[in-house]
Amino acid sequence: MRHAAVAVLRAAYAAGDLSKGKALHARVIRAAHFDVVLHNNLISFYAKCGRVRLARKVFDAMPFRNAVSVNLLMSAYASSGRHKESFALLRVVDFGLNEYVLSAAVSATAHVRSYDMGRQCHSYAVKAGLAEQPYVCNAVLNMYCQCAHMEDAVKIFENVSSFDAFAFNSMINGFLDHGQLDGSVRIVRSMTREVEKWDPVSYVAVLGHCASLKDFVLGAQVHAQALKRRLELNLFVGSALVDMYGKSNRAHDANCAFEVLPEKNVVSWTAVMTAYTQNELYEDALQLFLDMEMEGVQPNEFTYAVALNSCAGLAALRNGNAFGASAMKTGLWAHLLVGNALMNMYSKSGSIDDADRVFMSMPLCDVVSWNLMITGYAHHGLAREAMEAFHSMLSAAEVPSYVTFVGVLSSCAQLGLVDEGFYYLNVMMKELGIIPGKEHYTCMVGLLCRAGRLDEAEQFIVNNCICTDVVAWRSLLNSCQVYRNYGLGHRVAEQILQLKPNDIGTYVLLSNMYAKANRWDGVVKVRKQMRERGVRKEPGVSWIQVGIDVHVFTSEDKVHPQMEQITKKLDELIDKIKAIGYVPNFAVVLHDIEDEQKEEHLMYHSEKLALAFGLIHTPKGATIRIMKNLRICDDCHVAIKLISVVTGRKIVVRDAVRFHCIDGGVCTCDDYW
DNA sequence: GTAGGGTTAG
């Protein structure tokens, strides 16, 4: 009976015929005597067919079971991701665990990241004398890696003499997952020496290590080794290669690794999209999304997140909206990852209200969501709202992170809350043990500058060893410009130009500073210096989306087909704002041109062209959103504020650093930028 | 009739 039945089950599985198996099941139930092995075969059959509930039914109906029955059901649960249920099965076991069941139990605790349960299993293994069993030992080692207790993992790793690739793989991934790159460097080194036979997972792990370190040289060597064994065709290894090249800023190589894959799945597609996005090739990433859908591959939550991040990079609000709607239809919208990506997209596209709306509707949120809200408000010049969000975050018992404090400190800076800023820096360091980074120090410099305490700001830079940080110095120089402190400004600019010769941002700030202080001799000097050193301004580019099209404008570029209309509109606008006090600010013109040309030059700044175009092509009262690659210039800032008055429009300009939300002649940047 | 680690986000 048993042999025949097993043969039937095997055939039924091979033919994918579930009903044949069920028919046999019925006969087994009617049979006079109970056979454990046969019932185990039934469990195995249902499990292989992906019918875990039926497997469980068989299990529950058994008058007695053995270790194999338990193990079969546990692995069925594990392969469908139901690790808690797998672990819970131990409660019905009324006999001692063997090495099979024990390693399944340990791996369940590893998946749910339960250090406590994992440790209990480990001590059980020690008492039962099973701790040295290779599978148990590896499972325990892996459990400690997953549960972020690398010190326990290291103890096991060091005490066992002979290891296969498995243990090395676990150790590398454990160190990588917890950001301990020095640890993974050690393991990878000894692995290249001691482990002869790498398995495919080893390649994936080592490539992940290379990706984290952006170690393209080692990555390419691993690639070469993989080629010898034709492993570049393996979906996992291939995706890891795509990721490694992408993170090493080699989008083209990433694409080659992708193209070579004979079978592509949603992960490999998403990996190559990610590679493009991380290298700022947003349009290509979005094109890949379309290609993927054409191939009939369904996007998952990661794919949507990457697509939305590309939209964020382009500030492509409409496309982002479309992806959001599409994610809503597929039900993937509720994923944390997608919600966060949507918030990010709205925030980077200048639509902070929409970001807030998404945040409020998210079923689950995490520290990243809170950070997006806080930094989003801060970038939009809404420091009060940012601080409110921060306090709500604390009330919600979410633990602030490194990024949280970047938002908090920059909000304190915007509000001129010097004491609060230092208080929060202290909380961050003392209470949360977060080591402040450049971003925090730069915020503190900005904080002191905002309060007009420029000398203290300079001292702060010197005292905190961030003298080599151009961003910190630039923040100080910016304040010198705002406060017209050209003595300090000149010194600071020298300092920056020593660190980064020909830094165009510095020349612009310096020139603006002299202009604001009415020091025309200074402006002339800066221009001369630039000419002598051959420094050229990067062309300003602005873009605006109208309908489904993105219209791009470069300064002085007159190639747009509707240039005539745009010029006419601009003339009109300039006349109107001159009537309410606009005076062109020639100081921002860094080119050596005649005075009479300067007004025309200013008029053709890319943001003004984009704005005029937007005013022509959008309905009355609609908000206009403009993106710019550089920082908005002082003249345009003044002009756009006045244009918002004469047209009654809300105008949002995203420049290289922040948002300017301009409404009724007032900008959220408070003219401090 | 039984086993483990892996790729995509920030």
Side-chain angles (χ1 to χ4, degrees), chain A residues 455-487:
Chain A
D455 296 328
E456 283 174 67
E458 186 188 12
Q459 213 45 55
F460 189 89
I461 295 180
V462 175
N463 290 346
N464 288 286
C465 309
I466 45 169
C467 305
T468 53
D469 184 21
V470 173
V471 182
W473 284 118
R474 244 204 236 134
S475 168
L476 181 55
L477 178 57
N478 191 39
S479 298
C480 295
Q481 179 226 186
V482 174
Y483 289 103
R484 296 148 171 76
N485 185 340
Y486 51 85

Side-chain angles (χ1 to χ4, degrees), chain A residues 620-633:
Chain A
K620 220 174 179 174
T623 299
I624 295 189
R625 296 169 197 284
I626 297 167
M627 273 60 71
K628 187 175 181 196
N629 65 335
L630 308 175
R631 302 214 66 176
I632 187 172
C633 93

Side-chain angles (χ1 to χ4, degrees), chain A residues 12-53:
Chain A
Y13 174 67
D17 192 344
L18 186 69
S19 60
K20 268 227 178 69
K22 280 186 174 172
L24 185 104
H25 185 183
R27 285 181 51 189
V28 169
I29 291 172
R30 285 200 302 274
H33 87 283
F34 172 75
D35 180 349
V36 191
V37 175
L38 187 45
H39 277 75
N40 286 347
N41 265 295
L42 272 171
I43 295 177
S44 165
F45 170 76
Y46 284 131
K48 277 194 292 187
C49 294
R51 307 301 287 260
V52 190
R53 274 180 51 201

Side-chain angles (χ1 to χ4, degrees), chain A residues 4 35 46 64-65 96 106 116 275 305 409 415 434 443 477 493 524 537 598 605 612 622 633:
Chain A
D35 180 349
Y46 284 131
F64 61 89
R65 306 121 182 164
V106 174
D116 285 344
L409 296 178
L415 296 169
I434 298 171
C443 285
L477 178 57
V524 171
K537 202 166 177 275
K598 282 184 180 156
H605 270 183
C633 93

Side-chain angles (χ1 to χ4, degrees), chain A residues 180-231:
Chain A
Q180 299 179 30
L181 296 179
D182 47 336
S184 72
V185 168
R186 268 199 335 267
I187 306 294
V188 167
R189 252 188 226 142
S190 60
M191 188 172 191
T192 48
R193 278 197 307 263
E194 291 167 33
V195 183
E196 292 258 320
K197 190 77 186 152
W198 288 23
D199 63 14
V201 183
S202 311
Y203 287 88
V204 175
V206 176
L207 286 169
H209 164 84
C210 299
S212 298
L213 284 172
K214 295 186 170 209
D215 187 344
F216 155 72
V217 177
L218 181 59
Q221 285 172 359
V222 175
H223 190 179
Q225 291 299 321
L227 287 171
K228 282 194 196 159
R229 301 175 51 188
R230 302 256 69 190
L231 276 172

Side-chain angles (χ1 to χ4, degrees), chain A residues 78-154:
Chain A
S79 55
S80 56
R82 293 154 68 173
H83 301 286
K84 275 201 184 123
E85 285 160 272
S86 171
F87 192 79
L89 210 56
L90 291 180
R91 262 180 272 162
V92 304
V93 176
D94 47 8
F95 44 81
L97 307 184
N98 66 4
E99 68 272 32
Y100 286 90
V101 177
L102 198 55
S103 52
V106 174
S107 109
T109 66
H111 274 107
V112 298
R113 311 261 148 109
S114 169
Y115 178 62
D116 285 344
M117 290 197 292
R119 239 178 30 170
Q120 282 179 38
C121 290
H122 188 192
S123 39
Y124 183 100
V126 173
K127 282 179 209 152
L130 293 169
E132 308 281 305
Q133 289 280 341
Y135 272 90
V136 174
C137 185
N138 277 336
V140 168
L141 174 82
N142 182 54
M143 179 273 295
Y144 285 131
C145 290
Q146 301 275 350
C147 297
H149 280 266
M150 291 309 292
E151 66 288 353
D152 293 326
V154 168

